[in-house]
Every structure is written in structure tokens, then in C-alpha cells.
């Protein structure tokens, strides 16, 4: 089962990292860019670039680690991140519930399991299945956990993914849980950006790097094969080939008894794709709109619309959730039922099937609501679930094929995240786990405000501050944003933010700007491509509103964002440097002239546009940070952070921006973790260091 859409954040800026250790800085052609004197910094593991990184890391850590309170903050963050009181989230495989866990004793982590009865105890008895620290030491590899996919329903055989240093490129190896050992002669895939999924115990769907010509221009697999046990991968049977300029291709099986369908998906770009039902040797296209997402739940096909869809004279609105009989739909009958339709203030957030229901999570003014849908005697029945009305709700089915039980996670800015066990058709739930209060939240309050963007659009944002905060413009304030790929920023509890910022007297602000998904596809599409500036205008409007309300002032206001949010802060940095006194840009895109040539950047052209097309470069060039930073402008101080092993966003973006700004005489700091992938850190200790550096920088600049 899958949610109604792929979370863009998980695939955002993804890339094929096989061969990253040998990546060389490509030479730009005259058609793509003028000469770039800092192009050499794109050589990820070159001796000269790494020496540059080492030098800059030394400068940054020397300054920030010497600040009063740094060591104490880092130690406290380590305690939070390694706390044994964290919620150990689980997934069900067979009769057991599995969790991957890191702490001070298990730096790389352990994959462990328990029973549901044990899990409900305060101190569950866990069985270690894989000790990653031991495995890495025994194999002399820098293994970082990449996940497990186990064969339904017993979960006795699993495909284990491992990456070197935390990148997205992974090795896949078959594991026998009962024997606690990798299967000798079992299914094994070499390191690549790809995947494998079970068809049965002796057969897999495989999408990986099969050699020259088998990957898309974005660096993802484009060929789906069926691989039989006991045969070499080279003899796997080809089922489907996507086009070279598509984003990717994938395949999966629905294991629901009686509805055991196999699907192949062609992802054309980030927001459109085709879906095929495998019927023997034939592939039958599912006749949904290309930009709609769909999946089956027993006899029903569930469809989510990104655009209006006209069918038989009726228009179904973008952002709607539809259902139809799958068999009839494949036969050409388009009898669609609306399960949810958006309003001016609400949108679809997620869809989670259980054995007999569908749990629909919606957002209303960036606050979650939960509804239960049941298909009974050909009719859909709905029931509002009595759940907390403030904050964020997340639903996870224990076993969507065979159980109506689900986990409900409840979180907001000030109340520790709590996990409940619930059952469909009932409002009763049992509290299973809860985070401890990492800081005293009693002195703080949360308020939701609106700013007015340049074009008149109202932009909501949350502000967390001390109840005694004086509105005199003197409060150190961090404004965080993302604004892309239809990703919604929702309230959540963070011990790190509480300890490192709120307790220090800071105000924390979360902006729900366009480009995100807080108000559905329309909110996202309003800031696509030629309209990208709207996201930056929204963010600027929130900053201006905070200043107008005297929550803060430019002297005390900083901004922070990562990935696409790093691009956001970079763009706003060069456009309105007068509004801020500190900028944190994490694992960012910054050189938008070359982003589509740096690793898998081509996969994001559906979001930003193609800089090699003159008409599109005309609008991209206006906000691309690397092309719009100038010597004669005064900028606030910036901390750029990234990771050598980030195989989503090329570290060359941040490296080159720092080199250019230094060349122009601007004051910047730079820190590059040598492992950790797109998350910026591979373990809890690295996370503690990264956040201690970040918040120390912000406090020093804004206090």
C-alpha cells in the first residue's frame, strides 16, 4: 500500500550516486553557462576541493566551538538525540514489529523487533536482528542503514538496503531473519540508485543500473525487470522501459488476497506519470490523468487529482479524492465517487488504508482532521474521528491487508509527541508511547498569523515565543521555510528547537508559503517555474509582518531552510539582505544555471524549469542565488552547511557560493560534514554537532 502521493521530500533532489567517489567537475558548454572559475569545487572527492573543505571547516568550528555555552549545548543535544525515551516507531513484518534504533551505544544503529504486547509496555523486550556497528566493523565498510523490505505476509525474508556514508545509492542484500544472516547466494544488487521489491519468495521486481543507457537523464533506473532466484541478474527478464528523459520507473505488488495486482509505474516527471496493470505478458494502462496519483484498495481504485478532470460532462476539482470500481474502470466505465473535495481553507493531506476502511487526513488552516471512510454494500460511509483539533495527526496502519488497527501520532509545537494505538470504527485509543518533555514548555505560546504577499495573497505562519515576550523589535527570531514540491510544513514538537532556541530567548517562526502543499495542489502550483518568485515574495512578506508587529527587527531576524529551503534562503538573501542579520542555508541548491547538470538535477525541472531553454532561464536567472550575489552589496552573515556524501543536492552548490562570496569580500561561514547524505549527518552525534553549530551561529548573530 502507498499513500495517495509520493512525498516529494523523500525523493526531492534525489540522484544516482553510483560513482560519486569518482565524480569529476564537468566542463560547461557555451550553450549552458559562461566560464565558472569555481567549477573545480564540483569535483566531490577531489584532493583540492577536500582540502578547501577541511580549511573552511576548521575556521567555522574554531569560531563557533569557542563561543560560551557551545559545549554545554552540544552535550545537551546529544542527550536528546540519544535519549532512550524517544519513541521507537515500528512497522509490522509477519508477527513482529520492527524498529531501527540509534543511541550512544549503537552509533550506526540496530534493527530490532518485538511483539505488539511487548511494544505496549514501558520497557519492551527487544530482539536485535542486525547490529549495524558490528556489521560495518566486520566488513570494513562505512555502512549506513537504508531500510528493509520484507516478503508479505510472514516477513521471514527481507531485502536490506545499505549505503556507504549515508548516500541514496545503496547495496541491496537478501536477509534470512530466522537465521540472522544474509542469504548465501541470495538476491544481491550492487551499489546503485535503484530498488527491488518482492513478487514472491523466488521472484523480484528490479530497477537498477543495468549498464550504459539503462538510467534516465535524471540518474534513476528506467528499466523494470523480473529476476528469478538462482539466475544471474544479467538474465533478468525486461518488463518495461521508460524513456531516457523520463524521471524514473518502478514496480510493486499489492498482496491483498483476491486482489493481488502487479503494477508498473512510469514517472514522466515529478508531477506526472503513467500506471500499468500487469496482466500476464501484457501491460494495461490505467486510464487516469497523467498528473493524478492512484492506488488500489481491494476492489477500489483511489485517485487524487492535481488538476481539474472532466469526465462525462462533469468536472472533478483538483485536490479531490476519488474512488471507483477498479475492474469496471479498466473496462472503460468511469463511474467516479468523490470521497473528498477541497475548500478555500482545506486540503487533502494523506490517505491510509486499513483492512476495511480508508483513513483520510486533511488540513484545515494547517491543522489536521481525520475522517474514516468505509465501502459498504457499494456505498461509501464516512465518520469524523474524534481526534485532537490542534496540531498534526499522522496515521500508520499496522497491517493494511489484514488488520483495522493503526497507530495515531499526535504532535504540536509545545506538547511532546504522543503515539496511540487505535482501531477503525472506534474513537477509543490507547496511549502507547510519548516523548519526554525535553524542555519546560509552560512559559511559551503558539500563535498563528497571516502576512500579505506582494500580490495580495494571505500567507499563514506560526510563531512560538515566550508568553512574556515584549513586542519591542528586540527578540532574536528565526524564520524557517521550505515552499516547494507540495510539501506541507506542519506543527511538530522539537526538543532541539526548544533547548537550543526557545530557552535562549528566541522566537521560532514557521512559514506556510506557496510552493508547499498546505492548501493542496493550487498552493503548490501557484509557485511553479515562472511563478517561483511568489514563494520568495511570501517568505519576505512574513519577515516584513514580523517586523511590523515588532516581534523582531532586521537586526535580530534570521532565516533558515534546507534543500529547496536552502534555495529559498539563498534567493531571499540576495534579494532582501536588508531584512536579516543571519542566514542559514543547509544542503542547498544555489547555482540554478547548472542545477540540471549537477547529478540528478534534471529530475526537478518540473518544479523550477529548464535553464538551458532561453525563455525559462530568463525567469530562473532573476532569482538564482549564485548568479545574483554581487561585490557591491552588503549581505548579512551566512552559514552554509552541506555534506560530502549528499547524493541528492550536490555539495558543489554550497561550496561555489561560499567561494564566490569570499572572493567578493563577504563574511560567510561554511561547514561540510564528510558523511551523512542529504540529512547532513549519519548519526546522532553528527546531528548534535550540526545543530549546535547552527544555533550557536544564530544566537551570536541575533541576540
Amino acid at each position: 500500500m502507498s499513500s495517495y502521493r509520493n512525498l516529494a521530500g523523500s525523493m526531492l533532489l534525489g540522484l544516482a550516486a553510483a560513482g560519486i567517489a569518482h565524480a569529476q567537475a564537468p566542463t560547461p558548454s557555451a550553450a549552458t553557462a559562461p566560464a565558472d572559475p569555481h567549477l573545480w569545487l564540483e569535483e566531490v572527492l577531489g584532493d583540492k576541493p577536500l582540502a578547501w573543505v577541511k580549511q573552511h571547516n576548521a575556521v567555522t568550528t574554531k569560531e563557533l566551538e569557542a563561543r560560551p555555552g557551545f559545549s554545554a549545548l552540544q552535550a545537551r543535544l546529544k542527550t536528546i538525540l540519544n535519549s532512550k525515551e524517544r519513541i521507537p516507531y515500528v512497522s509490522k513484518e509477519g508477527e513482529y514489529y520492527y524498529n531501527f534504533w540509534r543511541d550512544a551505544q549503537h552509533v550506526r544503529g540496530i534493527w530490532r523487533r518485538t511483539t505488539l504486547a511487548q511494544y505496549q509496555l514501558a520497557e519492551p523486550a527487544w530482539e536485535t536482528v542486525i547490529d549495524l556497528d558490528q556489521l560495518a566493523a566486520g566488513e570494513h565498510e562505512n555502512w549506513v542503514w537504508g531500510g528493509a523490505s520484507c516478503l508479505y505476509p510472514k516477513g521471514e525474508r527481507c531485502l536490506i538496503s545499505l549505503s556507504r556514508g549515508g548516500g541514496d545509492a545503496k547495496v541491496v542484500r537478501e536477509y534470512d531473519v530466522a537465521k540472522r544472516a544474509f542469504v548465501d547466494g541470495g538476491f544481491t544488487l550492487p551499489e546503485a540508485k535503484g530498488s527491488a521489491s518482492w513478487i514472491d519468495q523466488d521472484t523480484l521486481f528490479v530497477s537498477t543500473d543495468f549498464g550504459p543507457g539503462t538510467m534516465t537523464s535524471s540518474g534513476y533506473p528506467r528499466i523494470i525487470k523480473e529476476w528469478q532466484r538462482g539466475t544471474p541478474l544479467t538474465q533478468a527478464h525486461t518488463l518495461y522501459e521508460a524513456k531516457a528523459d523520463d524521471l524514473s520507473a518502478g514496480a510493486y505488488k499489492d498482496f491483498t488476497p483476491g486482489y493481488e495486482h502487479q503494477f508498473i509505474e512510469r514517472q514522466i516527471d515529478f508531477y506526472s506519470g503513467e500506471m500499468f496493470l500487469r496482466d500476464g505478458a501484457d501491460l494495461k494502462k490505467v486510464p487516469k490523468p497523467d498528473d493524478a496519483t492512484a492506488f488500489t484498495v481491494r476492489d477500489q481504485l483511489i485517485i487524487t487529482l492535481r488538476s481539474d478532470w472532466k469526465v462525462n460532462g462533469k468536472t472533478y476539482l483538483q485536490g479531490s479524492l476519488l474512488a471507483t470500481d477498479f475492474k469496471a474502470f479498466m473496462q472503460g466505465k468511469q463511474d467516479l465517487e468523490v470521497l473528498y473535495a477541497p475548500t478555500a481553507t482545506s486540503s487533502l493531506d494523506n490517505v491510509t488504508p486499513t483492512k476495511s476502511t480508508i483513513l483520510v487526513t486533511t488540513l484545515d488552516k494547517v491543522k489536521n482532521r481525520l475522517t474514516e471512510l468505509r465501502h459498504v454494500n457499494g456505498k461509501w460511509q464516512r465518520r469524523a474521528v474524534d481526534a485532537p483539533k490542534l496540531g498534526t495527526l499522522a496515521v500508520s496502519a499496522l497491517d493494511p491487508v489484514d488488520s483495522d488497527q493503526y497507530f495515531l501520532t499526535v504532535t504540536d509545537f509545545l506538547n511532546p509527541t504522543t503515539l496511540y494505538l487505535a482501531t477503525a470504527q472506534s474513537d477509543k485509543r490507547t496511549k502507547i508511547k510519548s516523548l519526554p518533555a525535553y524542555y519546560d514548555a509552560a512559559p511559551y505560546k503558539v500563535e498563528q498569523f497571516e502576512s500579505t504577499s506582494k500580490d495580495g495573497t494571505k500567507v499563514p505562519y506560526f510563531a512560538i515565543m515566550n508568553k512574556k515576550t515584549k513586542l519591542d523589535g528586540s527578540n532574536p527570531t528565526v524564520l524557517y521555510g521550505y515552499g516547494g514540491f507540495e510539501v506541507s510544513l506542519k506543527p511538530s514538537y522539537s526538543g532541539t528547537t526548544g533547548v537550543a532556541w526557545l530557552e535562549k530567548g528566541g522566537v521560532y517562526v514557521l512559514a506556510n508559503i506557496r510552493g508547499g502543499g498546505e492548501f493542496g495542489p493550487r498552493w503548490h502550483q501557484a509557485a511553479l517555474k515562472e511563478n517561483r518568485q511568489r514563494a520568495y515574495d511570501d517568505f519576505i512578506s512574513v519577515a516584513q509582518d514580523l517586523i511590523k508587529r515588532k516581534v523582531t527587527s532586521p537586526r535580530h531576524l534570521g532565516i533558515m531552510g534546507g534543500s529547496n529551503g536552502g534555495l529559498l534562503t539563498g534567493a531571499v538573501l540576495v534579494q532582501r539582505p536588508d531584512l536579516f542579520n543571519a542566514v542559514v542555508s543547509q544542503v542547498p541548491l544555489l547555482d540554478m544555471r547548472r542545477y540540471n547538470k549537477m547529478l540528478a538535477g534534471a529530475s526537478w525541472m518540473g518544479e523550477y524549469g529548464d535553464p538551458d531553454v532561453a525563455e525559462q532561464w530568463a525567469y530562473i536567472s532573476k532569482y538564482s542565488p549564485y548568479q545574483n550575489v554581487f561585490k557591491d552589496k552588503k549581505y548579512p552573515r551566512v552559514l552554509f552547511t552541506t555534506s560530502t556524501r549528499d547524493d541528492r543536492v550536490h555539495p558543489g552548490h554550497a561550496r561555489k557560493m561560499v567561494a564566490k562570496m569570499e572572493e567578493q569580500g563577504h563574511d560567510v561561514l561554511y561547514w561540510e560534514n564528510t558523511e551523512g547524505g542529504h540529512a547532513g549527518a549519519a548519526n546522532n552525534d553528527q546531528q548534535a554537532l550540526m545543530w549546535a553549530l547552527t544555533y550557536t551561529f544564530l544566537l551570536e548573530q541575533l541576540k
Side-chain angles (χ1 to χ4, degrees):
M1 298 295 180
S2 63
S3 64
Y4 87 97
R5 66 184 180 195
N6 293 323
L7 275 181
S10 64
M11 189 176 175
L12 166 61
L13 316 175
L15 52 90
I20 189 172
H22 308 292
Q24 299 295 316
T27 302
S29 67
T32 59
D36 183 351
H38 307 297
L39 197 65
W40 60 276
L41 285 166
E42 290 184 22
E43 187 181 353
V44 177
L45 295 179
D47 291 340
K48 185 180 177 183
L50 287 181
W52 182 94
V53 167
K54 184 178 180 180
Q55 176 189 2
H56 282 77
N57 281 356
V59 170
T60 298
T61 54
K62 181 179 180 180
E63 175 185 329
L64 297 179
E65 290 179 359
R67 298 298 186 192
F70 177 88
S71 296
L73 176 59
Q74 183 183 10
R76 194 168 175 195
L77 293 179
K78 277 188 182 181
T79 299
I80 291 173
L81 293 168
N82 284 317
S83 170
K84 294 185 182 298
E85 295 182 89
R86 287 172 291 137
I87 298 175
Y89 293 101
V90 294
S91 60
K92 183 175 182 289
E93 304 290 353
E95 297 302 313
Y96 292 91
Y97 292 77
Y98 287 77
N99 162 260
F100 185 74
W101 182 260
R102 292 190 183 108
D103 57 28
Q105 288 72 45
H106 307 96
V107 176
R108 295 182 185 275
I110 54 173
W111 191 45
R112 58 186 187 171
R113 71 180 188 180
T114 191
T115 63
L116 184 59
Q118 279 289 324
Y119 185 63
Q120 297 180 69
L121 301 178
E123 297 289 339
W126 294 96
E127 297 178 61
T128 296
V129 180
I130 296 177
D131 185 321
L132 203 59
D133 294 89
Q134 289 184 6
L135 180 67
E139 297 185 350
H140 305 289
E141 287 279 10
N142 185 22
W143 289 135
V144 174
W145 184 254
S149 173
C150 301
L151 177 61
Y152 191 86
K154 295 183 178 180
E156 295 171 343
R157 290 289 180 94
C158 301
L159 299 173
I160 306 297
S161 295
L162 303 168
S163 76
R164 292 180 173 91
D168 281 354
K170 296 177 178 67
V171 171
V172 179
R173 296 158 66 179
E174 185 181 5
Y175 192 81
D176 187 318
V177 175
K179 294 181 178 179
R180 300 291 197 273
F182 289 101
V183 178
D184 187 22
F187 291 117
T188 302
L189 289 176
E191 184 179 43
K193 177 71 177 181
S195 65
S197 61
W198 296 99
I199 297 176
D200 57 44
Q201 183 163 328
D202 296 317
T203 320
L204 300 181
F205 284 123
V206 180
S207 57
T208 188
D209 186 347
F210 293 108
T214 65
M215 305 293 277
T216 67
S217 57
S218 297
Y220 291 96
R222 69 175 190 85
I223 297 177
I224 305 298
K225 296 190 178 188
E226 183 180 86
W227 188 15
Q228 296 289 335
R229 183 180 300 281
T231 64
L233 182 59
T234 54
Q235 292 183 13
H237 174 62
T238 298
L239 301 176
Y240 180 77
E241 292 191 28
K243 295 180 180 179
D245 58 355
D246 285 344
L247 177 56
S248 65
Y252 68 95
K253 177 181 177 180
D254 182 343
F255 283 91
T256 305
Y259 307 99
E260 295 174 308
H261 305 302
Q262 296 179 27
F263 293 101
I264 288 176
E265 294 181 323
R266 172 200 177 199
Q267 197 68 31
I268 299 171
D269 58 32
F270 236 95
Y271 306 111
S272 63
E274 296 177 332
M275 183 178 186
F276 301 91
L277 172 67
R278 185 186 182 191
D279 184 6
D282 296 329
L283 296 180
K284 298 180 178 179
K285 184 177 178 180
V286 178
K288 67 173 185 65
D290 283 354
D291 67 347
T293 58
F295 62 94
T296 52
V297 179
R298 297 172 293 280
D299 63 338
Q300 296 289 297
L301 181 70
I302 309 300
I303 304 171
T304 303
L305 300 181
R306 281 199 176 97
S307 301
D308 291 353
W309 188 23
K310 293 183 180 179
V311 180
N312 297 329
K314 183 175 181 180
T315 299
Y316 298 90
L317 299 178
Q318 70 171 169
S320 295
L321 182 69
L322 311 178
T324 186
D325 182 275
F326 180 52
K327 185 176 181 180
F329 189 71
M330 292 300 293
Q331 294 173 347
K333 298 178 182 178
Q334 295 179 312
D335 185 13
L336 301 165
E337 184 162 353
V338 179
L339 301 184
Y340 169 82
T343 68
T345 62
S346 68
S347 64
L348 185 64
D349 192 32
N350 217 332
V351 178
T352 305
T354 70
K355 182 179 180 180
S356 64
T357 66
I358 296 176
L359 297 166
V360 178
T361 313
T362 57
L363 279 173
D364 187 0
K365 295 183 179 179
V366 204
K367 302 177 185 71
N368 276 135
R369 302 289 182 266
L370 184 59
T371 302
E372 182 181 288
L373 302 174
R374 297 180 64 221
H375 197 233
V376 181
N377 298 324
K379 301 289 184 180
W380 284 97
Q381 301 175 354
R382 67 186 61 239
R383 185 181 74 87
V385 178
D386 184 14
K389 298 297 188 290
L390 296 176
T392 300
L393 307 175
V395 174
S396 174
L398 270 65
D399 183 343
V401 173
D402 200 38
S403 172
D404 271 331
Q405 289 184 298
Y406 63 94
F407 291 119
L408 176 66
T409 302
V410 179
T411 186
D412 60 42
F413 289 114
L414 297 179
N415 294 293
T417 304
T418 302
L419 180 69
Y420 297 91
L421 179 63
T423 304
Q425 304 179 52
S426 172
D427 287 330
K428 294 180 180 180
R429 60 182 70 95
T430 303
K431 180 179 176 181
I432 302 295
K433 309 286 179 189
S434 181
L435 286 179
Y438 289 119
Y439 63 98
D440 181 8
Y444 307 103
K445 64 179 179 179
V446 178
E447 296 196 53
Q448 188 179 32
F449 300 115
E450 281 186 340
S451 65
T452 303
S453 194
K454 187 176 181 179
D455 64 359
T457 299
K458 299 297 182 181
V459 181
Y461 67 92
F462 293 98
I464 305 94
M465 66 186 80
N466 196 292
K467 295 174 184 175
K468 297 180 180 179
T469 297
K470 295 180 180 180
L471 301 182
D472 58 7
S474 67
N475 302 294
T477 301
V478 171
L479 169 58
Y480 187 90
Y482 187 79
F485 295 88
E486 208 174 335
V487 173
S488 303
L489 296 187
K490 296 175 286 186
S492 63
Y493 183 82
S494 170
T496 297
T497 302
V499 164
W501 193 245
L502 296 179
E503 284 190 350
K504 307 297 183 185
V507 176
Y508 188 84
V509 179
L510 188 73
N512 301 117
I513 63 178
R514 282 175 288 183
E518 288 87 347
F519 296 99
R522 66 177 179 86
W523 198 246
H524 168 238
Q525 293 169 14
L528 280 179
K529 294 185 176 180
E530 68 271 17
N531 295 317
R532 197 74 194 172
Q533 183 60 40
R534 289 175 178 168
Y536 309 141
D537 290 342
D538 289 0
F539 200 61
I540 290 168
S541 76
V542 174
Q544 292 172 324
D545 198 63
L546 289 166
I547 295 167
K548 181 181 178 181
R549 294 177 188 274
K550 295 187 178 181
V551 172
T552 190
S553 60
R555 164 66 183 82
H556 301 286
L557 178 57
I559 54 176
M560 179 165 62
S563 190
N564 174 72
L567 170 60
L568 166 70
T569 55
V572 172
L573 160 71
V574 299
Q575 291 182 19
R576 291 300 307 271
D578 58 303
L579 286 178
F580 316 104
N581 197 39
V583 176
V584 175
S585 183
Q586 302 164 310
V587 291
L589 286 91
L590 296 166
D591 180 0
M592 298 304 288
R593 180 65 181 175
R594 284 183 47 73
Y595 88 90
N596 62 328
K597 294 176 174 58
M598 297 169 71
L599 300 172
S603 65
W604 323 317
M605 289 193 293
E607 184 82 8
Y608 304 118
D610 185 349
D612 291 333
V613 175
E615 294 81 5
Q616 296 182 42
W617 173 241
Y619 59 75
I620 297 172
S621 65
K622 293 179 181 179
Y623 69 77
S624 179
Y626 188 60
Q627 281 74 32
N628 285 284
V629 60
F630 300 108
K631 183 177 182 178
D632 59 353
K633 283 194 175 183
K634 179 176 173 57
Y635 299 105
R637 204 173 192 208
V638 190
L639 170 63
F640 292 97
T641 68
T642 189
S643 166
T644 312
R645 293 297 305 183
D646 185 351
D647 54 5
R648 294 191 191 180
V649 181
H650 198 297
H653 282 279
R655 292 177 180 180
K656 295 198 303 177
M657 187 71 169
V658 169
K660 186 173 183 178
M661 291 187 74
E662 286 181 332
E663 184 179 72
Q664 294 176 349
H666 303 301
D667 188 7
V668 297
L669 289 175
Y670 182 79
W671 182 74
E672 179 176 319
N673 193 15
T674 56
E675 57 184 1
H678 194 48
N683 57 52
N684 294 338
D685 288 354
Q686 291 176 10
Q687 287 274 7
L689 173 60
M690 179 180 71
W691 287 116
L693 291 170
T694 298
Y695 278 109
T696 297
F697 166 78
L698 287 167
L699 191 63
E700 287 297 313
Q701 289 297 118
L702 303 178
K703 67 181 180 181

